[in-house]
Amino acid sequence: MKTLYFLIAAFAITQLFGSVTCFAQEPDSTAKKTTFTWTSLLSNNANYYGQTASEKLPFAYTDLRMLTTSGWHISAGGYQLLKENSAPSELHVGTGFEFKLNKALSLDIGYTRSFYKKESPLLQASNPNNVSAELGFSHIFQTDLEGDYNFGKENDVFVTLTNSKIVNIHSFTSKDLLYIKPNIALTAGTQRYYTTYLEEKKRRLGLPGFLENKLPPVNQKPEYEETTVESTGFKMLSYNFQLPLIWQYGNGAFLVSYQLSVLGKNAAAEQKHNSFFNVGYFYQF
């Protein structure tokens, strides 16, 4: 009930999956008027460049994005971890500009500020600020090169190269279209955030100070000590394969998506592959 309350309240404020362009909009379309895109999403686990926290974190997400005729956009929203009773788990606001360099090239730059709960279990919680730039090239495929600078307690840089293709499947009426948009994304970056994540995890699992010296020692080491990894270099992090199935009807679109992420050998995580299942709804008005 609290999750439902959060979704309704967040929708009344403003909502949309800021990092996801509405599937209902073709890649080469141009905005002729100010548009609003509402996004809602359910996922089986939180995804940070193909990586996950040690615990499974299913969540509900909602967001609203406004794009003006000049290319300026602003968005706001948040998500709720379904394992938490109090809401919200995260809120964010963002702004930026889209530039159409020519018929095939586009550039999107932006800044997003996120607000997490204290001692959040999310990997990205230590770096709530994100500055991004994405260069898009439309040809036989859609190729996007994105750079992210995430900063806060730590400073991390990520670069992601994505190739995608829209493949039409069927139209049931003159107003709808069923299609898939398979894509492959390669991500490299630094991992300073992981040290902070482990420290926060240790704090969450720790005992109150007045008990620390009154309990007998145990032989088994805590999990956070077993997984501590020092990594600050720029390395390959993940290979991501995603298959979204989208049914667009009018201004709305339903999404069902599967993603397989294979982590690089230098990724600071014990599990070397992750699977993500998402369902979502997008509406543009």
Side-chain angles (χ1 to χ4, degrees), residues 11 15-17 20-40 63-68 73 98 179 247-254 281-285:
F11 175 75
Q15 321 133 332
L16 186 160
F17 205 4
V20 175
T21 302
C22 178
F23 289 109
Q25 182 177 341
E26 293 295 329
D28 59 352
S29 63
T30 56
K32 297 181 180 180
K33 63 177 182 179
T34 296
T35 60
F36 295 84
T37 307
W38 171 54
T39 299
S40 58
D63 188 282
L64 184 67
R65 182 176 189 258
M66 179 184 72
L67 175 63
T68 67
H73 57 82
E98 288 185 3
Y179 62 95
W247 180 55
Q248 177 181 336
Y249 185 85
N251 292 333
F254 293 92
Y281 178 72
F282 306 80
Y283 190 82
Q284 189 173 88
F285 52 95

Side-chain angles (χ1 to χ4, degrees), residues 198-211:
L198 292 172
E199 291 173 353
E200 293 295 332
K201 181 179 178 183
K202 177 180 178 180
R203 191 172 296 114
R204 291 195 304 274
L205 297 177
L207 294 168
F210 66 89
L211 289 178

Side-chain angles (χ1 to χ4, degrees), residues 1 3 25 79 94 129 156 168 170 201 221 257 261 269 280 283:
M1 188 65 184
T3 300
Q25 182 177 341
Y79 56 88
N129 300 282
D156 281 299
N168 296 338
H170 185 68
K201 181 179 178 183
K221 292 183 179 181
S257 177
S261 295
Y283 190 82

Side-chain angles (χ1 to χ4, degrees), residues 72-75 93-97 108-113:
W72 173 64
H73 57 82
I74 184 171
S75 62
V93 292
T95 188
F97 284 91
D108 190 345
I109 58 174
Y111 168 75
T112 301
R113 176 67 165 93

